[in-house]
Amino acid sequence: MNVLLSIATVSTFLGTFYPMLFQAMNWGSISVGAPYFNSIFLPLIALVLITMVISLGLHWAKADKRILLKRAGLLLPSLLLSYLAIHHFMQNDSALQFKWTAYFLLTLAIWLLLATLWQNWCKLGLSHYAMIFAHSGVAIATMGAVMSSYFGSEIGVRLSLQQSQQLGAFNFHYERFSNEIGPNFTAEVATFSVTENSKPYAELQPERRYYDVRTMTMSEVGLSGGFWGDLYIVMGDPLGKGEFTFRLHYKPLIRWLWFGGVLMAFGALCSVLTMKRRGKRDE
């Protein structure tokens, strides 16, 4: 596990600083983007998830075959749950396509979560809770990353007042436009009513703010966040008479990334408390 995490750290370091070094040595300029990181991290994530599931059946380097078999049996419901989750989001957007890589990673993440939660909770100590929180956090964060990366939707459009745009199951209707004055800025505000499958969902208000002191323009996102996904609009350049360019986004399970991170941090805290307790006992 430590080897895999070390490789991931070194890969991130190289991908981040190599272009800077390349430019500093006057060798030209290069960019390292998503293809590099995906080619490195996807196999590593898969290996990390599999290793974490296997480690649940190990105790001081001795494998309990019964526990390992029970953990392996959880792979079947994981395959089913993964397929149902992907099918649900694809059903809402006909433009999405089934991705085997996403299915594989999502299955591993669900498998890790089920295997982690399959515990006799009454007999667990604080150190076990640290492991449960950390492993669950990794699984949930992976689910959020996979679903938002592979099954998110976005589109760039130009809209005038009273025009609409469909994005998956969501319909964005540009209702009104207004100019507003803030404490140190003036703003152009667009108001959208959003429906999901013809049912009212949210009202979003993206803005373009002009700061006179700094002579700069900033876009304020119109956001509607929820447990199952975030919907947001970015307001672009004005085209005259209330017409603007807009970028519409839907990111399913994006907040699971943050929730998973919180669980991992909580697991680390439990681990620190466990070490402190052991230290006091040794004294």
Side-chain angles (χ1 to χ4, degrees):
M1 179 68 71
N2 291 334
V3 173
L4 295 175
L5 295 177
S6 298
I7 293 174
T9 302
V10 172
S11 302
T12 303
F13 180 83
L14 289 176
T16 304
F17 288 99
Y18 183 70
M20 299 169 61
L21 176 63
F22 203 82
Q23 190 172 12
M25 298 298 292
N26 293 322
W27 294 339
S29 61
I30 60 172
S31 61
V32 176
Y36 165 79
F37 289 104
N38 287 340
S39 64
I40 296 295
F41 278 97
L42 290 182
L44 287 176
I45 290 174
L47 288 173
V48 166
L49 294 174
I50 293 172
T51 303
M52 293 177 80
V53 173
I54 294 175
S55 68
L56 294 171
L58 301 178
H59 182 68
W60 293 104
K62 294 181 180 179
D64 189 327
K65 293 182 180 179
R66 292 177 300 175
I67 294 178
L68 288 175
L69 288 175
K70 289 180 180 179
R71 299 289 187 269
L74 294 173
L75 183 58
L76 291 177
S78 302
L79 289 165
L80 177 61
L81 290 173
S82 178
Y83 175 79
L84 292 175
I86 292 175
H87 176 72
H88 170 73
F89 285 103
M90 288 182 61
Q91 195 174 23
N92 291 331
D93 190 347
S94 59
L96 296 176
Q97 296 181 347
F98 188 88
K99 303 287 186 180
W100 283 103
T101 303
Y103 180 59
F104 176 65
L105 291 174
L106 187 61
T107 298
L108 290 180
I110 295 175
W111 186 27
L112 173 60
L113 183 62
L114 293 179
T116 301
L117 298 178
W118 194 275
Q119 305 280 346
N120 186 350
W121 290 76
C122 297
K123 297 182 179 180
L124 297 180
L126 186 60
S127 60
H128 289 87
Y129 283 111
M131 177 270 295
I132 289 173
F133 283 124
H135 284 206
S136 299
V138 171
I140 291 172
T142 302
M143 292 180 204
V146 170
M147 295 306 295
S148 61
S149 298
Y150 286 94
F151 300 103
S153 304
E154 64 178 83
I155 187 173
V157 293
R158 56 184 295 174
L159 294 174
S160 299
L161 286 168
Q162 302 306 317
Q163 287 187 329
S164 299
Q165 176 64 45
Q166 193 75 24
L167 180 66
F170 299 97
N171 181 270
F172 296 78
H173 181 66
Y174 184 10
E175 286 195 346
R176 60 185 182 273
F177 167 79
S178 62
N179 290 297
E180 298 183 4
I181 300 176
N184 60 341
F185 63 86
T186 58
E188 296 172 318
V189 182
T191 301
F192 282 79
S193 61
V194 184
T195 58
E196 182 183 16
N197 297 321
S198 301
K199 297 178 181 179
Y201 183 82
E203 183 178 89
L204 305 182
Q205 289 187 316
E207 303 178 13
R208 275 174 56 89
R209 293 183 177 180
Y210 301 90
Y211 293 88
D212 296 330
V213 176
R214 299 182 181 179
T215 62
M216 62 184 299
T217 303
M218 294 185 65
S219 293
E220 292 292 322
V221 173
L223 173 67
S224 174
F227 183 77
W228 297 110
D230 281 14
L231 197 67
Y232 60 96
I233 305 175
V234 180
M235 195 171 182
D237 297 326
L239 302 174
K241 297 182 180 180
E243 185 179 13
F244 287 84
T245 59
F246 297 95
R247 194 144 197 95
L248 317 178
H249 298 260
Y250 176 61
K251 295 294 183 181
L253 306 189
I254 189 66
R255 300 202 174 200
W256 290 34
L257 272 169
W258 308 111
F259 181 52
V262 170
L263 286 178
M264 284 186 271
F266 197 68
L269 178 61
C270 291
S271 181
V272 171
L273 293 175
T274 301
M275 288 189 289
K276 284 188 175 181
R277 282 188 177 183
R278 288 176 180 172
K280 289 181 179 180
R281 289 176 184 175
D282 294 339
E283 292 176 359

